[in-house]
Amino acid sequence: MSERRFVTGSREETIALGEKVGRALRAGDVLVLTGDLGAGKTQLTKGIAAGLGVDADVTSPTFTIEMVYEGAEMPLYHFDLYRLDSADQLEDTGIFDVLGADGVCAIEWGEQFADEIGDARVDVFVTRLEDAAAAGEEPPREVRLVAHDARGEELLAALA
């Protein structure tokens, strides 16, 4: 397993990093985004969508669980699994229909289902660096990508 770390200093920089990631993605790629509420997972996903050529406004699908966005060459399947309690509930989300399929899957709060999602993924950890900001300032974010398979390694190399 290899990893890449990036630090973004603003919402705009987080979105720009997501765009860079989005441009490097291929159909079948799976990203599992992990981080506290407000860490920047959805902002990163907005950038990923932009990098894929999605024109729609991307929001977290907390209540719908899945949103599908049509990109220039492939769809983005955006999942938010925050409200799920057990792996048994995954079947109803449609996630198994699109994992490794014709588009990219960005899965927020998917870390609890890593075994079910499988190793053909890149884990993306988004962390607010609260100690690095002055009082009242937006803290920078660390975005750490961890590859679990050969395709993930290729993706991380493309981001170097």
Side-chain angles (χ1 to χ4, degrees):
M1 285 192 310
S2 65
E3 67 178 58
R4 290 252 183 260
R5 292 175 187 262
F6 301 90
V7 175
T8 62
S10 66
R11 174 184 177 275
E12 294 75 22
E13 286 182 18
T14 303
I15 292 171
L17 174 60
E19 283 187 62
K20 181 178 179 179
V21 172
R23 287 190 299 272
L25 292 170
R26 295 194 316 222
D29 286 345
V30 177
L31 305 174
V32 176
L33 293 93
T34 300
D36 292 336
L37 285 170
K41 297 179 301 293
T42 302
Q43 298 309 313
L44 189 68
T45 304
K46 285 178 189 242
I48 290 167
L52 291 170
V54 172
D55 290 330
D57 183 36
V58 173
T59 60
S60 185
T62 303
F63 296 103
T64 58
I65 299 181
E66 179 193 16
M67 290 293 294
V68 179
Y69 300 99
E70 289 302 324
E73 297 179 19
M74 64 187 135
L76 170 63
Y77 301 102
H78 184 197
F79 289 88
D80 184 326
L81 305 181
Y82 180 76
R83 297 183 320 129
L84 301 188
D85 298 321
S86 74
D88 296 338
Q89 296 171 300
L90 286 174
E91 191 67 42
D92 294 333
T93 68
I95 197 167
F96 296 120
D97 297 331
V98 298
L99 280 176
D102 65 335
V104 170
C105 287
I107 307 167
E108 295 187 38
W109 301 99
E111 65 275 8
Q112 63 184 331
F113 305 113
D115 289 342
E116 291 78 15
I117 293 168
D119 286 339
R121 71 178 197 276
V122 172
D123 289 332
V124 182
F125 300 94
V126 184
T127 307
R128 290 168 58 104
L129 303 174
E130 300 289 350
D131 294 342
E137 285 186 355
E138 176 78 10
R141 287 165 172 76
E142 179 186 68
V143 179
R144 185 169 57 97
L145 294 92
V146 179
H148 290 273
D149 67 350
R151 171 59 193 139
E153 299 282 346
E154 287 177 22
L155 177 60
L156 296 190
L159 297 174

